[in-house]
Amino acid sequence: MDAIEEGCVIRAAMLHGIWVVMAALGLVAVSCGAPIAHWGFENGPGEWLSFADGDATAGISADRPAVGQKCARLASSADDEAMLVSPPLPLVEAGKPFDVELRFRANNQSGPLRIGVAPRQTDGPPKAETLWQRSAPADTKWHVLRLTAVAPHDPQRPLCLTITSSGGGDWSVDDVAVKAKPVAHVPGSVPPHEAMAQAAVYPEPLPEGWEPGGLLDARKRAVGDKAELIVDVAGLQISIPEHASCRRGFRTGIDTYCSNRGTADKVLEVIVQGPPDMRVPKWSVPMAAKKTLHLRVPVQRLLTGDCWVKMSFGVKGERAAAPLRLHAEASYPVLGCTWPEGQQPDAGELQRMGALGAAMQQLIIDPTDAEGVQRIADVVRAGSGAIECLLCPPGGVVDGLPAALLSPEASAGKPCWSPHTSPAVPVAEAKAALCRMATSLYKHDEAPNVFSFPYWLAWDAAEGSLRLPAEYPPAATDLRECLGRSGDDWGVQSLVLSLPPLPGAALLDAQVDGQREEGAASYWADFNRRTDLASMRAAARQAEAHLPFTVLVPDLAGSGDRRMDALKLGKAIVNAVCQGSTAVLPEVALLEAAADADPDPVSQAFTALAAELAGTTAVAALEPTDTMSSRPDAEVTYKLFLRGNEGIAVMWNNTCGPIEVAAGLRSQPVTVKLLRLAYYGDFVQEEFQPVFKLSAKAKELQQPGIYLRLDPLDITVLSMRLVDPTIGWLRGVFPANEFNVRLAPRKRGPQWWERLLF
């Protein structure tokens, strides 16, 4: 530390509880087009604050500055960090991208350097949100770092830049600048993706309360003890069942038989319309002359109950329609939302969120609000089951609530129950509330849906994983003793977990010396870990609590950029579902559309992911690679699911540059749907292939793969109906230039994809 100038060391010390801070004007205002803030440390620390304990120091040094005569230097010890905090960043609007440029140099080969943001405070080191982290390079040269980020903006708590050294690291920093960036979400910001299929087009939902008033253009024909509906259009005869059932979330195929009685080939267009929670893209299917085709036209509901569906069939300008009565039964997991304490929504508000795909909604019951409780009781009494309610009485007290809640007549409308407790409530008190609630419910209902009290998870930065508070072990939900249960019956159907607050600021890009760094960006690897419940699943198994999770997602401390908030929420939802969940419930405020966003990216992402993840079962990736796997720190993180005869793969790129990948197929797809939630260009991009075909690239390489470009930040989902839906339906996700399937010759003929090459 001899190179640090005596008298210029900004050493934070505690004197009678007051941090000693050196402050002088150091912010340089510049003209438009230049940095909006620039610090060179030539005149000392300026308004920068320093915080260092023990042997750690943060100050001004004359040892080989990058420019001028001086630079900042941070030397940490093994146990103590050194931090510099800038003056407030001159951000004028939340969610607008900005660049941070600086020069850095490692003076030893020890701990890392971290760059982040935090609200300004002078009474102690702020809790920074890390945007970028770097271990010491092998040289001691100066390097240039450029970060692009978005962050929230609160004039009452302005953000500052933080530079931190830890683990014994000794770093020099110089020539720090902040620059404004143009808005990024414009078409042409990234090269267009090669189209895999035609764009998915969704019809308008049917009007509320729609009924066919007859058979529309169909006629009824008896088939044994059942009936089918017949539609004639342009020489085609089409038959569908009169009634059908499906499971919530499943893309159930409606058996549809189509006969082309003419001598000319035709193209049949199929349009399925239903209530707002139904999502089915339009179909176009070739019909050969003199042939009969058996189609399984998919229908999908995100809510349960009965509804009317209008199935329209058209050839060129001629069209005919038939009604279908559809019954949807419950399946899990589902997406939903949580309503804040003190807000008792009415049926219309519940249905409004249900139309977005919020099939389960958590409500904190206020027993003193008789009118609000009665509104909830009326919803449960309706028995439609369209919205499932997770009711949370304070302290688990349910006595005195309406009988419609405690003894619902309709099993489909039976609510779920979880005691409302705060993070400050001791575990013994929370368990007592749970036992009190469960005991009371069993007096009214022999099989109530009881969920645990909430587990308030904490983020362990040292371990890089989520953890339970020490006083909240999984065994705390064991109700066998207080309810006289034994064996595998724990008395609860789901463990309720609440994620800790998630960071608001977000990294868009990072480059060192003009080059993007290899591997996953530290920010996104860290964000994945903050929402990865693998450690919670391991803890539950250790306690022999083989129960699904109900995951509460807090407000994301919004970045001000609704697209970024949507993508972060989407990744949190996927990480929660893949660990086995009953429901994933973000706060309703997060789903409410922003005043200036139409359509709103957060609600769009929520609805799109509800359609892809509801009712799924997570499966393991059988062929992970060093760079592409389900790990949170992989260059490409992907999660695999099965849902009936569907295989679903969700993937995202954790690096700062685009990656060409191949999704290697093992099972043969029948139909393929691509969903891309993109930070740049159009936010929701969907393509649909009614009849699967290998792409030109797959044919050229003669490989059974779907070739895609994964851009940073985006979430990409492949959903496909499979001929053989098995656990190993997907070989994995591979670098496009490395995917290569070579099988020994078979005596019984070619593989399925070899038949599709020509």
Side-chain angles (χ1 to χ4, degrees):
M1 297 301 296
D2 296 338
I4 299 181
E5 289 187 356
E6 184 178 357
C8 288
V9 175
I10 317 172
R11 188 148 183 163
M14 283 298 293
L15 296 178
H16 306 290
I18 305 297
W19 284 92
V20 176
V21 178
M22 297 181 64
L25 185 61
L27 181 62
V28 180
V30 292
S31 61
C32 183
I36 57 177
H38 183 249
W39 300 278
F41 305 107
E42 291 303 297
N43 298 321
E47 288 188 338
W48 285 73
L49 310 181
S50 72
F51 303 97
D53 287 326
D55 295 329
T57 57
I60 304 301
S61 171
D63 179 26
R64 296 177 296 152
V67 294
Q69 302 298 316
K70 299 175 183 178
C71 62
R73 187 165 179 177
L74 304 94
S76 62
S77 65
D79 300 320
D80 301 307
E81 293 185 342
M83 176 185 286
L84 286 176
V85 181
S86 78
L89 298 177
L91 306 177
V92 295
E93 188 174 354
K96 301 300 182 184
F98 62 92
D99 279 348
V100 175
E101 294 184 2
L102 58 83
R103 299 172 188 266
F104 68 92
R105 183 188 70 209
N107 300 312
N108 65 12
Q109 301 299 310
S110 295
L113 177 70
R114 302 197 304 273
I115 309 297
V117 292
R120 184 152 175 110
Q121 64 183 54
T122 59
D123 58 348
K127 187 175 181 180
E129 295 180 359
T130 301
L131 294 171
W132 178 84
Q133 178 173 309
R134 174 71 179 266
S135 300
D139 58 61
T140 57
K141 299 178 182 178
W142 283 99
H143 299 274
V144 179
L145 169 67
R146 182 180 65 81
L147 303 177
T148 303
V150 292
H153 175 61
D154 182 357
Q156 304 302 318
R157 301 187 68 209
L159 284 182
C160 302
L161 191 67
T162 63
I163 305 175
T164 307
S165 172
S166 61
D170 185 352
W171 298 83
S172 295
V173 176
D174 202 358
D175 197 24
V176 181
V178 178
K179 300 179 180 180
K181 293 275 288 185
V183 178
H185 327 131
V186 294
S189 299
V190 296
H193 290 266
E194 181 179 350
M196 183 196 74
Q198 62 191 23
V201 178
Y202 291 89
E204 290 293 322
L206 295 174
E208 183 178 358
W210 182 88
E211 293 188 7
L215 298 179
L216 300 180
D217 303 312
R219 64 182 187 276
K220 186 181 294 189
R221 181 171 65 187
V223 180
D225 58 348
K226 298 182 180 180
E228 64 180 5
L229 300 181
I230 305 298
V231 174
D232 296 298
V233 56
L236 303 181
Q237 186 175 91
I238 302 161
S239 68
I240 63 171
E242 187 178 18
H243 304 278
S245 64
C246 67
R247 297 177 64 188
R248 178 174 54 196
F250 282 62
R251 291 189 174 103
T252 301
I254 302 299
D255 286 321
T256 304
Y257 293 88
C258 182
S259 298
N260 185 354
R261 296 169 294 181
T263 58
D265 296 343
K266 299 174 183 178
V267 176
L268 173 67
E269 183 183 62
V270 184
I271 298 177
V272 179
Q273 294 173 275
D277 64 284
M278 179 170 285
R279 287 177 54 83
V280 181
K282 296 180 180 180
W283 271 47
S284 292
V285 184
M287 288 292 305
K290 300 292 185 179
K291 296 290 185 180
T292 297
L293 190 63
H294 178 199
L295 303 176
R296 288 185 174 88
V297 179
V299 295
Q300 181 188 39
R301 289 208 66 193
L302 302 182
L303 304 179
T304 56
D306 295 322
C307 71
W308 283 106
V309 176
K310 180 181 179 182
M311 300 185 66
S312 301
F313 306 91
V315 177
K316 295 184 178 180
E318 189 175 341
R319 182 167 296 280
L324 172 73
R325 190 64 173 171
L326 181 67
H327 175 72
E329 300 176 347
S331 65
Y332 301 93
V334 294
L335 301 193
C337 63
T338 64
W339 292 86
E341 187 173 2
Q343 184 173 353
Q344 303 289 341
D346 58 26
E349 291 174 302
L350 294 174
Q351 291 295 339
R352 177 172 57 86
M353 300 310 299
L356 295 179
M360 179 181 288
Q361 301 185 31
Q362 182 197 50
L363 304 166
I364 299 173
I365 300 178
D366 181 3
T368 64
D369 182 5
E371 183 180 349
V373 171
Q374 187 59 49
R375 287 202 304 267
I376 296 173
D378 291 341
V379 171
V380 172
R381 185 185 293 113
S384 67
I387 301 293
E388 286 189 78
C389 294
L390 174 58
L391 303 182
C392 302
V397 178
V398 300
D399 293 332
L401 292 177
L405 295 178
L406 301 177
S407 303
E409 298 177 3
S411 60
K414 182 182 292 188
C416 305
W417 296 88
S418 172
H420 175 55
T421 59
S422 71
V425 171
V427 63
E429 186 176 333
K431 183 175 181 179
L434 181 60
C435 291
R436 183 187 310 116
M437 183 189 74
T439 302
S440 298
L441 290 173
Y442 272 100
K443 296 177 182 178
H444 301 274
D445 187 350
E446 62 181 12
N449 298 323
V450 179
F451 288 16
S452 77
F453 53 79
Y455 288 68
W456 306 97
L457 304 184
W459 168 245
D460 190 332
E463 295 294 330
S465 65
L466 294 171
R467 63 173 175 80
L468 286 169
E471 66 274 15
Y472 270 58
T477 57
D478 191 343
L479 292 181
R480 288 175 287 192
E481 182 178 345
C482 69
L483 292 179
R485 306 277 165 162
S486 62
D488 295 332
D489 185 359
W490 277 60
V492 295
Q493 281 76 47
S494 184
L495 300 179
V496 180
L497 308 180
S498 180
L499 293 177
L502 300 173
L507 178 73
L508 302 184
D509 191 18
Q511 296 184 19
V512 175
D513 298 331
Q515 302 292 325
R516 291 189 172 99
E517 294 184 284
E518 296 182 359
S522 58
Y523 173 88
W524 289 110
D526 186 65
F527 180 85
N528 292 337
R529 294 188 186 100
R530 285 173 177 265
T531 57
D532 185 4
L533 296 173
S535 58
M536 295 300 98
R537 178 53 63 197
R541 286 174 180 153
Q542 186 176 5
E544 298 184 351
H546 304 293
L547 298 168
F549 297 149
T550 295
V551 183
L552 310 181
V553 182
D555 193 344
L556 293 174
S559 64
D561 183 340
R562 294 289 285 181
R563 286 199 182 204
M564 179 57 68
D565 295 346
L567 293 169
K568 290 163 71 175
L569 174 64
K571 293 172 184 178
I573 288 173
V574 175
N575 283 332
V577 170
C578 78
Q579 288 300 329
S581 296
T582 300
V584 183
L585 310 176
E587 293 183 355
V588 71
L590 187 60
L591 302 180
E592 297 285 2
D596 58 347
D598 185 26
D600 176 51
V602 175
S603 58
Q604 283 183 299
F606 180 85
T607 301
L609 290 176
E612 303 303 333
L613 298 176
T616 58
T617 300
V619 296
L622 300 183
E623 298 184 35
T625 69
D626 293 338
T627 59
M628 301 184 184
S629 68
S630 61
R631 297 194 323 270
D633 59 348
E635 292 184 11
V636 171
T637 295
Y638 66 92
K639 312 289 185 178
L640 303 181
F641 304 89
L642 279 174
R643 180 173 59 190
N645 60 0
E646 272 189 288
I648 300 169
V650 187
M651 61 196 87
W652 57 82
N653 176 359
N654 294 315
T655 74
C656 291
I659 298 179
E660 298 284 346
V661 304
L665 300 170
R666 180 175 283 111
S667 296
Q668 179 179 355
V670 179
T671 65
V672 177
K673 179 176 174 292
L674 169 69
L675 166 68
R676 184 181 295 112
L677 303 177
Y679 187 73
Y680 299 100
D682 295 332
F683 178 64
V684 178
Q685 303 170 21
E686 293 185 276
E687 299 175 14
F688 181 60
Q689 205 174 47
V691 180
F692 172 70
K693 297 179 181 178
L694 290 172
S695 66
K697 185 169 184 178
K699 291 181 178 180
E700 176 187 350
L701 299 176
Q702 298 191 9
Q703 292 296 314
I706 296 177
Y707 290 83
L708 303 166
R709 188 186 81 230
L710 301 184
D711 288 331
L713 310 176
D714 296 0
I715 298 175
T716 302
V717 185
L718 282 174
S719 307
M720 53 194 78
R721 189 153 59 90
L722 304 169
V723 172
D724 184 22
T726 63
I727 290 178
W729 68 273
L730 195 74
R731 299 176 186 272
V733 179
F734 306 90
N737 60 353
E738 296 180 10
F739 178 57
N740 189 11
V741 176
R742 289 288 181 265
L743 300 176
R746 293 172 40 152
K747 295 181 180 179
R748 291 179 292 176
Q751 299 286 344
W752 63 262
W753 70 85
E754 294 175 318
R755 295 193 297 269
L756 298 180
L757 292 174
F758 309 100

